Amino acid sequence: MSGKVFELTGLLRDEVESLVEQMDQPRYRGRQLFRWVQARRARELAAMTDLSLAFRKTLEATVTISRPEVAHAQQASDGTRKFLLRLADAEEIESVLIPDDDRLTACISTQVGCPLACRFCLTGLMGIRRNLTAAEVVGEVLTLQDQLEPDTRISNVVLMGMGEPLLNFAEVERALRILCDEQGAGFSPRRITLSTAGHVPGIKKLAASDVGVNLAVSLSATTDAVRDQIMPINKRWPIAVLLEACRAYPLPNRRRLTFEYVMLDGVNDSADDARRLVPLLRGIRCKVNLIPFNATADLPDRPSPRDRVEAFQQILCDAHLTATIRESRGRDISAACGMLRTEKDREG
Ligand code: SAH
């Protein structure tokens, strides 16, 4: 393995154990090393004082521990914090920390930009630059955790930042396994939610995987004519095909799918839309999360008036669907849903 560099942040515990075995060390040394990187968030081998100097020397030649760097940080009036993170190749992503009464949610990115070009999302205007590696996705969470006081812990992770996670399935799945390892950050999969624009092959792969995180699906329309317009991915996997995959998605006891629905004035927010949604979702254990549209000058749509959002919600509730309205967080620093776009892109 001489000359070969392993990025530790993106290795599963099992892989770290095998790696140290190849260095004639017992496997438990690998667990120690994994714990140093993932649970204690060490950034230097020098800090790992319970590993012998000779072993650390060997490691020095073989492994790196890299992290996205905070290039810029902003705090919103509601306490939401947005971070511009710089990756090793100088590409940039945004990640958000959202404090709530009893939780602290990290909203993380899975791609630099996004290829899906949803009409209501700023990230879509960037186009896709590249996928993140598992090390970068895990590194986002570790870097965000490092920004917090020692007694404050990220409680939830949502893959709702920049990018379509299911277009980067292998690296995202690997990152989730690392984050959920009880010897590492130790997140319960129940506290992690992956949100997709409706990439059906990815939903099927996730259904077959055992990572066990929650799934949210951005539906945002009740007819293919409208969904084709606002979410071009619908032309590939239309509503019926998408909901078929959702219906087949295996859910553990007491868990539900989430359908996200961005409320766009005069586009998808009518009483007829709400009434159409009911039979579409029949037979799927789910809840609906209505998202007030975060408008900006660069996007064509306007937000639905609040009373229309509430009327929409009422129709769903009357039909015995659980429907909540997402309170937008961090809007004043463009940290809210669909507002993540890096400065570089803005400057063009
Ligand atoms: N690609 C994934 C995850 C990123 S988007 C997905 O599409 O689900 C995360 C959520 O933000 C999605 O539900 C999306 O519909 C919503 N969203 C995007 N742009 C928005 C905007 N301008 N205002 C409100 N919500 C938006």
PDB file of all heavy atoms in Angstrom, residues 114 116 118 120-122 159-165 195-198 216-220 231 260-264 291-295 299 326 328 336-339, ligand 1:
ATOM      1  N   CYS A 114     -26.407  21.125  -8.216  1.00  0.00           N
ATOM      2  CA  CYS A 114     -27.413  20.080  -8.420  1.00  0.00           C
ATOM      3  C   CYS A 114     -27.822  20.093  -9.886  1.00  0.00           C
ATOM      4  O   CYS A 114     -27.974  21.163 -10.469  1.00  0.00           O
ATOM      5  CB  CYS A 114     -28.636  20.339  -7.540  1.00  0.00           C
ATOM      6  SG  CYS A 114     -29.921  19.076  -7.678  1.00  0.00           S
ATOM      7  N   LEU A 116     -30.705  18.940 -11.107  1.00  0.00           N
ATOM      8  CA  LEU A 116     -32.126  18.688 -11.348  1.00  0.00           C
ATOM      9  C   LEU A 116     -32.922  19.911 -11.772  1.00  0.00           C
ATOM     10  O   LEU A 116     -34.006  19.786 -12.334  1.00  0.00           O
ATOM     11  CB  LEU A 116     -32.760  18.040 -10.112  1.00  0.00           C
ATOM     12  CG  LEU A 116     -32.228  16.629  -9.817  1.00  0.00           C
ATOM     13  CD1 LEU A 116     -32.963  16.034  -8.621  1.00  0.00           C
ATOM     14  CD2 LEU A 116     -32.349  15.706 -11.018  1.00  0.00           C
ATOM     15  N   CYS A 118     -34.878  22.203 -10.399  1.00  0.00           N
ATOM     16  CA  CYS A 118     -36.255  22.494  -9.976  1.00  0.00           C
ATOM     17  C   CYS A 118     -36.460  24.006 -10.082  1.00  0.00           C
ATOM     18  O   CYS A 118     -35.578  24.784  -9.718  1.00  0.00           O
ATOM     19  CB  CYS A 118     -36.487  22.017  -8.540  1.00  0.00           C
ATOM     20  SG  CYS A 118     -36.284  20.228  -8.345  1.00  0.00           S
ATOM     21  N   PHE A 120     -38.070  26.164  -8.505  1.00  0.00           N
ATOM     22  CA  PHE A 120     -38.200  26.975  -7.295  1.00  0.00           C
ATOM     23  C   PHE A 120     -36.945  26.944  -6.419  1.00  0.00           C
ATOM     24  O   PHE A 120     -36.952  27.434  -5.302  1.00  0.00           O
ATOM     25  CB  PHE A 120     -39.404  26.483  -6.477  1.00  0.00           C
ATOM     26  CG  PHE A 120     -39.440  24.971  -6.347  1.00  0.00           C
ATOM     27  CD1 PHE A 120     -38.634  24.316  -5.437  1.00  0.00           C
ATOM     28  CD2 PHE A 120     -40.274  24.221  -7.174  1.00  0.00           C
ATOM     29  CE1 PHE A 120     -38.655  22.935  -5.331  1.00  0.00           C
ATOM     30  CE2 PHE A 120     -40.297  22.821  -7.081  1.00  0.00           C
ATOM     31  CZ  PHE A 120     -39.485  22.187  -6.151  1.00  0.00           C
ATOM     32  N   CYS A 121     -35.859  26.356  -6.920  1.00  0.00           N
ATOM     33  CA  CYS A 121     -34.689  26.150  -6.051  1.00  0.00           C
ATOM     34  C   CYS A 121     -33.449  26.853  -6.602  1.00  0.00           C
ATOM     35  O   CYS A 121     -33.078  26.663  -7.763  1.00  0.00           O
ATOM     36  CB  CYS A 121     -34.418  24.653  -5.901  1.00  0.00           C
ATOM     37  SG  CYS A 121     -32.982  24.290  -4.887  1.00  0.00           S
ATOM     38  N   LEU A 122     -32.806  27.646  -5.753  1.00  0.00           N
ATOM     39  CA  LEU A 122     -31.626  28.393  -6.189  1.00  0.00           C
ATOM     40  C   LEU A 122     -30.445  27.494  -6.509  1.00  0.00           C
ATOM     41  O   LEU A 122     -29.655  27.794  -7.404  1.00  0.00           O
ATOM     42  CB  LEU A 122     -31.206  29.388  -5.097  1.00  0.00           C
ATOM     43  CG  LEU A 122     -31.920  30.744  -5.068  1.00  0.00           C
ATOM     44  CD1 LEU A 122     -31.368  31.570  -3.917  1.00  0.00           C
ATOM     45  CD2 LEU A 122     -31.751  31.486  -6.387  1.00  0.00           C
ATOM     46  N   LEU A 159     -30.552  15.486   5.070  1.00  0.00           N
ATOM     47  CA  LEU A 159     -29.852  15.629   3.790  1.00  0.00           C
ATOM     48  C   LEU A 159     -30.773  16.434   2.877  1.00  0.00           C
ATOM     49  O   LEU A 159     -31.449  15.901   2.002  1.00  0.00           O
ATOM     50  CB  LEU A 159     -29.507  14.254   3.201  1.00  0.00           C
ATOM     51  CG  LEU A 159     -28.269  13.573   3.810  1.00  0.00           C
ATOM     52  CD1 LEU A 159     -28.446  13.320   5.303  1.00  0.00           C
ATOM     53  CD2 LEU A 159     -27.961  12.272   3.108  1.00  0.00           C
ATOM     54  N   MET A 160     -30.832  17.729   3.171  1.00  0.00           N
ATOM     55  CA  MET A 160     -31.746  18.636   2.474  1.00  0.00           C
ATOM     56  C   MET A 160     -31.032  19.895   2.030  1.00  0.00           C
ATOM     57  O   MET A 160     -31.654  20.900   1.717  1.00  0.00           O
ATOM     58  CB  MET A 160     -32.926  19.032   3.380  1.00  0.00           C
ATOM     59  CG  MET A 160     -33.818  17.874   3.783  1.00  0.00           C
ATOM     60  SD  MET A 160     -35.265  18.458   4.672  1.00  0.00           S
ATOM     61  CE  MET A 160     -35.986  16.898   5.196  1.00  0.00           C
ATOM     62  N   GLY A 161     -29.699  19.854   2.027  1.00  0.00           N
ATOM     63  CA  GLY A 161     -28.944  21.007   1.571  1.00  0.00           C
ATOM     64  C   GLY A 161     -28.802  20.972   0.060  1.00  0.00           C
ATOM     65  O   GLY A 161     -29.726  20.585  -0.652  1.00  0.00           O
ATOM     66  N   MET A 162     -27.635  21.360  -0.421  1.00  0.00           N
ATOM     67  CA  MET A 162     -27.427  21.377  -1.860  1.00  0.00           C
ATOM     68  C   MET A 162     -27.317  19.958  -2.400  1.00  0.00           C
ATOM     69  O   MET A 162     -26.664  19.103  -1.814  1.00  0.00           O
ATOM     70  CB  MET A 162     -26.131  22.141  -2.186  1.00  0.00           C
ATOM     71  CG  MET A 162     -26.219  23.627  -1.829  1.00  0.00           C
ATOM     72  SD  MET A 162     -24.614  24.460  -1.780  1.00  0.00           S
ATOM     73  CE  MET A 162     -24.055  24.226  -3.430  1.00  0.00           C
ATOM     74  N   GLY A 163     -27.984  19.731  -3.549  1.00  0.00           N
ATOM     75  CA  GLY A 163     -27.788  18.463  -4.233  1.00  0.00           C
ATOM     76  C   GLY A 163     -28.901  17.461  -4.061  1.00  0.00           C
ATOM     77  O   GLY A 163     -29.768  17.599  -3.204  1.00  0.00           O
ATOM     78  N   GLU A 164     -28.882  16.448  -4.916  1.00  0.00           N
ATOM     79  CA  GLU A 164     -29.843  15.346  -4.849  1.00  0.00           C
ATOM     80  C   GLU A 164     -29.090  14.130  -4.302  1.00  0.00           C
ATOM     81  O   GLU A 164     -28.284  13.519  -5.015  1.00  0.00           O
ATOM     82  CB  GLU A 164     -30.419  15.081  -6.247  1.00  0.00           C
ATOM     83  CG  GLU A 164     -31.184  13.776  -6.388  1.00  0.00           C
ATOM     84  CD  GLU A 164     -32.253  13.564  -5.318  1.00  0.00           C
ATOM     85  OE1 GLU A 164     -33.033  14.482  -5.036  1.00  0.00           O
ATOM     86  OE2 GLU A 164     -32.284  12.449  -4.755  1.00  0.00           O
ATOM     87  N   PRO A 165     -29.353  13.771  -3.033  1.00  0.00           N
ATOM     88  CA  PRO A 165     -28.569  12.702  -2.407  1.00  0.00           C
ATOM     89  C   PRO A 165     -28.600  11.376  -3.162  1.00  0.00           C
ATOM     90  O   PRO A 165     -27.600  10.662  -3.196  1.00  0.00           O
ATOM     91  CB  PRO A 165     -29.188  12.556  -1.012  1.00  0.00           C
ATOM     92  CG  PRO A 165     -30.335  13.486  -0.937  1.00  0.00           C
ATOM     93  CD  PRO A 165     -30.309  14.397  -2.109  1.00  0.00           C
ATOM     94  N   SER A 195     -33.728  13.478   1.911  1.00  0.00           N
ATOM     95  CA  SER A 195     -34.796  14.043   1.090  1.00  0.00           C
ATOM     96  C   SER A 195     -34.441  13.924  -0.386  1.00  0.00           C
ATOM     97  O   SER A 195     -33.338  14.288  -0.801  1.00  0.00           O
ATOM     98  CB  SER A 195     -35.003  15.515   1.471  1.00  0.00           C
ATOM     99  OG  SER A 195     -36.018  16.098   0.678  1.00  0.00           O
ATOM    100  N   THR A 196     -35.385  13.407  -1.176  1.00  0.00           N
ATOM    101  CA  THR A 196     -35.140  13.247  -2.616  1.00  0.00           C
ATOM    102  C   THR A 196     -36.192  13.988  -3.430  1.00  0.00           C
ATOM    103  O   THR A 196     -37.350  14.098  -3.021  1.00  0.00           O
ATOM    104  CB  THR A 196     -35.145  11.761  -3.027  1.00  0.00           C
ATOM    105  OG1 THR A 196     -34.957  11.677  -4.456  1.00  0.00           O
ATOM    106  CG2 THR A 196     -36.451  11.064  -2.666  1.00  0.00           C
ATOM    107  N   ALA A 197     -35.768  14.453  -4.597  1.00  0.00           N
ATOM    108  CA  ALA A 197     -36.704  15.077  -5.534  1.00  0.00           C
ATOM    109  C   ALA A 197     -37.524  14.026  -6.279  1.00  0.00           C
ATOM    110  O   ALA A 197     -38.408  14.372  -7.064  1.00  0.00           O
ATOM    111  CB  ALA A 197     -35.939  15.952  -6.520  1.00  0.00           C
ATOM    112  N   GLY A 198     -37.231  12.751  -6.014  1.00  0.00           N
ATOM    113  CA  GLY A 198     -38.010  11.692  -6.647  1.00  0.00           C
ATOM    114  C   GLY A 198     -37.227  10.870  -7.640  1.00  0.00           C
ATOM    115  O   GLY A 198     -37.712  10.532  -8.724  1.00  0.00           O
ATOM    116  N   ALA A 216     -37.742  11.352   2.913  1.00  0.00           N
ATOM    117  CA  ALA A 216     -38.679  12.422   2.563  1.00  0.00           C
ATOM    118  C   ALA A 216     -38.663  12.564   1.048  1.00  0.00           C
ATOM    119  O   ALA A 216     -37.610  12.443   0.417  1.00  0.00           O
ATOM    120  CB  ALA A 216     -38.264  13.734   3.226  1.00  0.00           C
ATOM    121  N   VAL A 217     -39.822  12.787   0.469  1.00  0.00           N
ATOM    122  CA  VAL A 217     -39.938  12.899  -0.987  1.00  0.00           C
ATOM    123  C   VAL A 217     -40.567  14.250  -1.313  1.00  0.00           C
ATOM    124  O   VAL A 217     -41.627  14.594  -0.794  1.00  0.00           O
ATOM    125  CB  VAL A 217     -40.816  11.752  -1.549  1.00  0.00           C
ATOM    126  CG1 VAL A 217     -41.028  11.912  -3.045  1.00  0.00           C
ATOM    127  CG2 VAL A 217     -40.182  10.397  -1.240  1.00  0.00           C
ATOM    128  N   SER A 218     -39.872  15.013  -2.154  1.00  0.00           N
ATOM    129  CA  SER A 218     -40.382  16.327  -2.541  1.00  0.00           C
ATOM    130  C   SER A 218     -41.370  16.146  -3.680  1.00  0.00           C
ATOM    131  O   SER A 218     -40.970  15.895  -4.813  1.00  0.00           O
ATOM    132  CB  SER A 218     -39.224  17.228  -2.970  1.00  0.00           C
ATOM    133  OG  SER A 218     -38.297  17.338  -1.900  1.00  0.00           O
ATOM    134  N   LEU A 219     -42.642  16.243  -3.369  1.00  0.00           N
ATOM    135  CA  LEU A 219     -43.677  15.960  -4.371  1.00  0.00           C
ATOM    136  C   LEU A 219     -44.099  17.250  -5.080  1.00  0.00           C
ATOM    137  O   LEU A 219     -43.969  17.381  -6.287  1.00  0.00           O
ATOM    138  CB  LEU A 219     -44.863  15.266  -3.690  1.00  0.00           C
ATOM    139  CG  LEU A 219     -45.957  14.740  -4.616  1.00  0.00           C
ATOM    140  CD1 LEU A 219     -45.413  13.726  -5.604  1.00  0.00           C
ATOM    141  CD2 LEU A 219     -47.101  14.130  -3.797  1.00  0.00           C
ATOM    142  N   SER A 220     -44.631  18.183  -4.326  1.00  0.00           N
ATOM    143  CA  SER A 220     -44.865  19.558  -4.796  1.00  0.00           C
ATOM    144  C   SER A 220     -45.787  19.729  -5.998  1.00  0.00           C
ATOM    145  O   SER A 220     -45.820  20.821  -6.580  1.00  0.00           O
ATOM    146  CB  SER A 220     -43.530  20.276  -5.077  1.00  0.00           C
ATOM    147  OG  SER A 220     -42.818  20.450  -3.866  1.00  0.00           O
ATOM    148  N   MET A 231     -40.594  20.596 -11.700  1.00  0.00           N
ATOM    149  CA  MET A 231     -39.544  19.639 -11.348  1.00  0.00           C
ATOM    150  C   MET A 231     -39.277  18.744 -12.561  1.00  0.00           C
ATOM    151  O   MET A 231     -39.929  17.708 -12.748  1.00  0.00           O
ATOM    152  CB  MET A 231     -39.964  18.787 -10.135  1.00  0.00           C
ATOM    153  CG  MET A 231     -40.240  19.610  -8.877  1.00  0.00           C
ATOM    154  SD  MET A 231     -40.659  18.583  -7.430  1.00  0.00           S
ATOM    155  CE  MET A 231     -39.078  17.819  -7.064  1.00  0.00           C
ATOM    156  N   GLU A 260     -42.808  16.297   1.003  1.00  0.00           N
ATOM    157  CA  GLU A 260     -42.640  17.742   1.078  1.00  0.00           C
ATOM    158  C   GLU A 260     -43.380  18.375  -0.101  1.00  0.00           C
ATOM    159  O   GLU A 260     -43.413  17.823  -1.207  1.00  0.00           O
ATOM    160  CB  GLU A 260     -41.151  18.094   1.011  1.00  0.00           C
ATOM    161  CG  GLU A 260     -40.370  17.574   2.220  1.00  0.00           C
ATOM    162  CD  GLU A 260     -38.898  17.374   1.893  1.00  0.00           C
ATOM    163  OE1 GLU A 260     -38.584  16.450   1.111  1.00  0.00           O
ATOM    164  OE2 GLU A 260     -38.071  18.153   2.391  1.00  0.00           O
ATOM    165  N   TYR A 261     -43.954  19.537   0.171  1.00  0.00           N
ATOM    166  CA  TYR A 261     -44.776  20.179  -0.856  1.00  0.00           C
ATOM    167  C   TYR A 261     -44.547  21.680  -0.761  1.00  0.00           C
ATOM    168  O   TYR A 261     -45.002  22.339   0.174  1.00  0.00           O
ATOM    169  CB  TYR A 261     -46.242  19.808  -0.598  1.00  0.00           C
ATOM    170  CG  TYR A 261     -47.169  20.022  -1.774  1.00  0.00           C
ATOM    171  CD1 TYR A 261     -47.621  18.951  -2.547  1.00  0.00           C
ATOM    172  CD2 TYR A 261     -47.616  21.309  -2.097  1.00  0.00           C
ATOM    173  CE1 TYR A 261     -48.487  19.153  -3.616  1.00  0.00           C
ATOM    174  CE2 TYR A 261     -48.481  21.517  -3.167  1.00  0.00           C
ATOM    175  CZ  TYR A 261     -48.918  20.436  -3.922  1.00  0.00           C
ATOM    176  OH  TYR A 261     -49.773  20.634  -4.979  1.00  0.00           O
ATOM    177  N   VAL A 262     -43.761  22.213  -1.688  1.00  0.00           N
ATOM    178  CA  VAL A 262     -43.455  23.648  -1.702  1.00  0.00           C
ATOM    179  C   VAL A 262     -44.655  24.397  -2.260  1.00  0.00           C
ATOM    180  O   VAL A 262     -45.125  24.090  -3.368  1.00  0.00           O
ATOM    181  CB  VAL A 262     -42.222  23.946  -2.581  1.00  0.00           C
ATOM    182  CG1 VAL A 262     -41.870  25.423  -2.530  1.00  0.00           C
ATOM    183  CG2 VAL A 262     -41.027  23.109  -2.143  1.00  0.00           C
ATOM    184  N   MET A 263     -45.169  25.354  -1.524  1.00  0.00           N
ATOM    185  CA  MET A 263     -46.415  26.035  -1.904  1.00  0.00           C
ATOM    186  C   MET A 263     -46.144  27.254  -2.792  1.00  0.00           C
ATOM    187  O   MET A 263     -45.627  28.279  -2.328  1.00  0.00           O
ATOM    188  CB  MET A 263     -47.156  26.473  -0.640  1.00  0.00           C
ATOM    189  CG  MET A 263     -47.534  25.324   0.296  1.00  0.00           C
ATOM    190  SD  MET A 263     -48.800  24.220  -0.393  1.00  0.00           S
ATOM    191  CE  MET A 263     -50.244  25.261  -0.313  1.00  0.00           C
ATOM    192  N   LEU A 264     -46.505  27.128  -4.054  1.00  0.00           N
ATOM    193  CA  LEU A 264     -46.243  28.181  -5.042  1.00  0.00           C
ATOM    194  C   LEU A 264     -47.561  28.840  -5.460  1.00  0.00           C
ATOM    195  O   LEU A 264     -48.491  28.148  -5.903  1.00  0.00           O
ATOM    196  CB  LEU A 264     -45.551  27.582  -6.269  1.00  0.00           C
ATOM    197  CG  LEU A 264     -44.274  26.775  -6.010  1.00  0.00           C
ATOM    198  CD1 LEU A 264     -43.805  26.070  -7.290  1.00  0.00           C
ATOM    199  CD2 LEU A 264     -43.170  27.696  -5.488  1.00  0.00           C
ATOM    200  N   ILE A 291     -44.352  23.406   2.635  1.00  0.00           N
ATOM    201  CA  ILE A 291     -43.221  24.323   2.805  1.00  0.00           C
ATOM    202  C   ILE A 291     -43.542  25.661   2.160  1.00  0.00           C
ATOM    203  O   ILE A 291     -43.726  25.736   0.940  1.00  0.00           O
ATOM    204  CB  ILE A 291     -41.934  23.760   2.152  1.00  0.00           C
ATOM    205  CG1 ILE A 291     -41.700  22.307   2.561  1.00  0.00           C
ATOM    206  CG2 ILE A 291     -40.738  24.622   2.518  1.00  0.00           C
ATOM    207  CD1 ILE A 291     -40.451  21.686   1.942  1.00  0.00           C
ATOM    208  N   PRO A 292     -43.648  26.722   2.964  1.00  0.00           N
ATOM    209  CA  PRO A 292     -43.824  28.043   2.372  1.00  0.00           C
ATOM    210  C   PRO A 292     -42.638  28.330   1.443  1.00  0.00           C
ATOM    211  O   PRO A 292     -41.488  28.113   1.823  1.00  0.00           O
ATOM    212  CB  PRO A 292     -43.829  28.988   3.582  1.00  0.00           C
ATOM    213  CG  PRO A 292     -44.191  28.124   4.748  1.00  0.00           C
ATOM    214  CD  PRO A 292     -43.613  26.764   4.435  1.00  0.00           C
ATOM    215  N   PHE A 293     -42.937  28.758   0.245  1.00  0.00           N
ATOM    216  CA  PHE A 293     -41.890  29.020  -0.747  1.00  0.00           C
ATOM    217  C   PHE A 293     -41.027  30.197  -0.304  1.00  0.00           C
ATOM    218  O   PHE A 293     -41.534  31.258   0.066  1.00  0.00           O
ATOM    219  CB  PHE A 293     -42.546  29.313  -2.099  1.00  0.00           C
ATOM    220  CG  PHE A 293     -41.591  29.795  -3.153  1.00  0.00           C
ATOM    221  CD1 PHE A 293     -40.483  29.036  -3.521  1.00  0.00           C
ATOM    222  CD2 PHE A 293     -41.804  31.006  -3.802  1.00  0.00           C
ATOM    223  CE1 PHE A 293     -39.607  29.484  -4.503  1.00  0.00           C
ATOM    224  CE2 PHE A 293     -40.939  31.458  -4.793  1.00  0.00           C
ATOM    225  CZ  PHE A 293     -39.832  30.701  -5.141  1.00  0.00           C
ATOM    226  N   ASN A 294     -39.728  30.010  -0.348  1.00  0.00           N
ATOM    227  CA  ASN A 294     -38.797  31.101  -0.073  1.00  0.00           C
ATOM    228  C   ASN A 294     -38.444  31.762  -1.397  1.00  0.00           C
ATOM    229  O   ASN A 294     -37.728  31.190  -2.204  1.00  0.00           O
ATOM    230  CB  ASN A 294     -37.548  30.555   0.628  1.00  0.00           C
ATOM    231  CG  ASN A 294     -37.896  29.984   1.991  1.00  0.00           C
ATOM    232  OD1 ASN A 294     -38.478  30.669   2.830  1.00  0.00           O
ATOM    233  ND2 ASN A 294     -37.585  28.717   2.204  1.00  0.00           N
ATOM    234  N   ALA A 295     -38.989  32.947  -1.580  1.00  0.00           N
ATOM    235  CA  ALA A 295     -38.848  33.619  -2.873  1.00  0.00           C
ATOM    236  C   ALA A 295     -37.571  34.445  -2.921  1.00  0.00           C
ATOM    237  O   ALA A 295     -37.090  34.919  -1.893  1.00  0.00           O
ATOM    238  CB  ALA A 295     -40.058  34.523  -3.106  1.00  0.00           C
ATOM    239  N   LEU A 299     -35.842  33.831  -8.841  1.00  0.00           N
ATOM    240  CA  LEU A 299     -36.775  32.732  -9.090  1.00  0.00           C
ATOM    241  C   LEU A 299     -38.117  33.302  -9.537  1.00  0.00           C
ATOM    242  O   LEU A 299     -38.549  34.345  -9.054  1.00  0.00           O
ATOM    243  CB  LEU A 299     -36.953  31.899  -7.813  1.00  0.00           C
ATOM    244  CG  LEU A 299     -35.688  31.180  -7.299  1.00  0.00           C
ATOM    245  CD1 LEU A 299     -35.936  30.584  -5.920  1.00  0.00           C
ATOM    246  CD2 LEU A 299     -35.230  30.108  -8.275  1.00  0.00           C
ATOM    247  N   ARG A 326     -44.166  23.777   7.435  1.00  0.00           N
ATOM    248  CA  ARG A 326     -42.785  23.965   7.895  1.00  0.00           C
ATOM    249  C   ARG A 326     -42.533  25.444   8.142  1.00  0.00           C
ATOM    250  O   ARG A 326     -42.753  26.260   7.255  1.00  0.00           O
ATOM    251  CB  ARG A 326     -41.794  23.428   6.860  1.00  0.00           C
ATOM    252  CG  ARG A 326     -40.343  23.558   7.312  1.00  0.00           C
ATOM    253  CD  ARG A 326     -39.376  23.029   6.271  1.00  0.00           C
ATOM    254  NE  ARG A 326     -39.510  21.594   6.060  1.00  0.00           N
ATOM    255  CZ  ARG A 326     -38.819  20.917   5.129  1.00  0.00           C
ATOM    256  NH1 ARG A 326     -37.970  21.539   4.353  1.00  0.00           N
ATOM    257  NH2 ARG A 326     -38.989  19.615   4.994  1.00  0.00           N
ATOM    258  N   SER A 328     -40.265  28.322   8.144  1.00  0.00           N
ATOM    259  CA  SER A 328     -38.978  28.575   7.501  1.00  0.00           C
ATOM    260  C   SER A 328     -38.000  29.189   8.485  1.00  0.00           C
ATOM    261  O   SER A 328     -38.341  30.078   9.233  1.00  0.00           O
ATOM    262  CB  SER A 328     -39.150  29.508   6.309  1.00  0.00           C
ATOM    263  OG  SER A 328     -39.196  28.739   5.150  1.00  0.00           O
ATOM    264  N   ALA A 336     -32.607  29.319   4.285  1.00  0.00           N
ATOM    265  CA  ALA A 336     -33.810  28.493   4.293  1.00  0.00           C
ATOM    266  C   ALA A 336     -33.845  27.569   3.076  1.00  0.00           C
ATOM    267  O   ALA A 336     -33.009  27.667   2.173  1.00  0.00           O
ATOM    268  CB  ALA A 336     -35.047  29.390   4.331  1.00  0.00           C
ATOM    269  N   CYS A 337     -34.856  26.672   3.069  1.00  0.00           N
ATOM    270  CA  CYS A 337     -34.991  25.673   2.006  1.00  0.00           C
ATOM    271  C   CYS A 337     -34.866  26.304   0.630  1.00  0.00           C
ATOM    272  O   CYS A 337     -35.541  27.283   0.322  1.00  0.00           O
ATOM    273  CB  CYS A 337     -36.363  25.016   2.055  1.00  0.00           C
ATOM    274  SG  CYS A 337     -36.749  24.250   3.603  1.00  0.00           S
ATOM    275  N   GLY A 338     -34.052  25.709  -0.197  1.00  0.00           N
ATOM    276  CA  GLY A 338     -33.957  26.139  -1.585  1.00  0.00           C
ATOM    277  C   GLY A 338     -33.157  27.401  -1.792  1.00  0.00           C
ATOM    278  O   GLY A 338     -33.068  27.926  -2.891  1.00  0.00           O
ATOM    279  N   MET A 339     -32.539  27.911  -0.729  1.00  0.00           N
ATOM    280  CA  MET A 339     -31.822  29.181  -0.858  1.00  0.00           C
ATOM    281  C   MET A 339     -30.311  29.011  -0.817  1.00  0.00           C
ATOM    282  O   MET A 339     -29.567  29.983  -0.753  1.00  0.00           O
ATOM    283  CB  MET A 339     -32.272  30.152   0.238  1.00  0.00           C
ATOM    284  CG  MET A 339     -33.774  30.395   0.194  1.00  0.00           C
ATOM    285  SD  MET A 339     -34.315  31.615   1.396  1.00  0.00           S
ATOM    286  CE  MET A 339     -33.943  33.123   0.516  1.00  0.00           C
TER     287      MET A 339
HETATM  288  N1  SAH B   1     -32.749  17.333  -3.713  1.00  0.00           N
HETATM  289  C1  SAH B   1     -33.450  17.016  -2.497  1.00  0.00           C
HETATM  290  C2  SAH B   1     -32.916  17.741  -1.276  1.00  0.00           C
HETATM  291  C3  SAH B   1     -32.649  19.220  -1.405  1.00  0.00           C
HETATM  292  S1  SAH B   1     -34.050  20.309  -1.468  1.00  0.00           S
HETATM  293  C4  SAH B   1     -34.940  17.252  -2.663  1.00  0.00           C
HETATM  294  O1  SAH B   1     -35.337  17.798  -3.688  1.00  0.00           O
HETATM  295  O2  SAH B   1     -35.695  16.865  -1.796  1.00  0.00           O
HETATM  296  C5  SAH B   1     -34.747  20.241   0.146  1.00  0.00           C
HETATM  297  C6  SAH B   1     -36.208  20.719   0.206  1.00  0.00           C
HETATM  298  O3  SAH B   1     -36.305  22.141  -0.024  1.00  0.00           O
HETATM  299  C7  SAH B   1     -37.084  20.058  -0.859  1.00  0.00           C
HETATM  300  O4  SAH B   1     -38.279  19.580  -0.294  1.00  0.00           O
HETATM  301  C8  SAH B   1     -37.379  21.207  -1.806  1.00  0.00           C
HETATM  302  O5  SAH B   1     -38.616  21.010  -2.443  1.00  0.00           O
HETATM  303  C9  SAH B   1     -37.395  22.404  -0.897  1.00  0.00           C
HETATM  304  N2  SAH B   1     -37.160  23.673  -1.579  1.00  0.00           N
HETATM  305  C10 SAH B   1     -36.336  23.902  -2.622  1.00  0.00           C
HETATM  306  N3  SAH B   1     -36.373  25.201  -2.975  1.00  0.00           N
HETATM  307  C11 SAH B   1     -37.228  25.823  -2.132  1.00  0.00           C
HETATM  308  C12 SAH B   1     -37.661  27.168  -1.948  1.00  0.00           C
HETATM  309  N4  SAH B   1     -37.207  28.164  -2.723  1.00  0.00           N
HETATM  310  N5  SAH B   1     -38.534  27.443  -0.959  1.00  0.00           N
HETATM  311  C13 SAH B   1     -38.976  26.453  -0.152  1.00  0.00           C
HETATM  312  N6  SAH B   1     -38.592  25.175  -0.250  1.00  0.00           N
HETATM  313  C14 SAH B   1     -37.729  24.850  -1.232  1.00  0.00           C
END
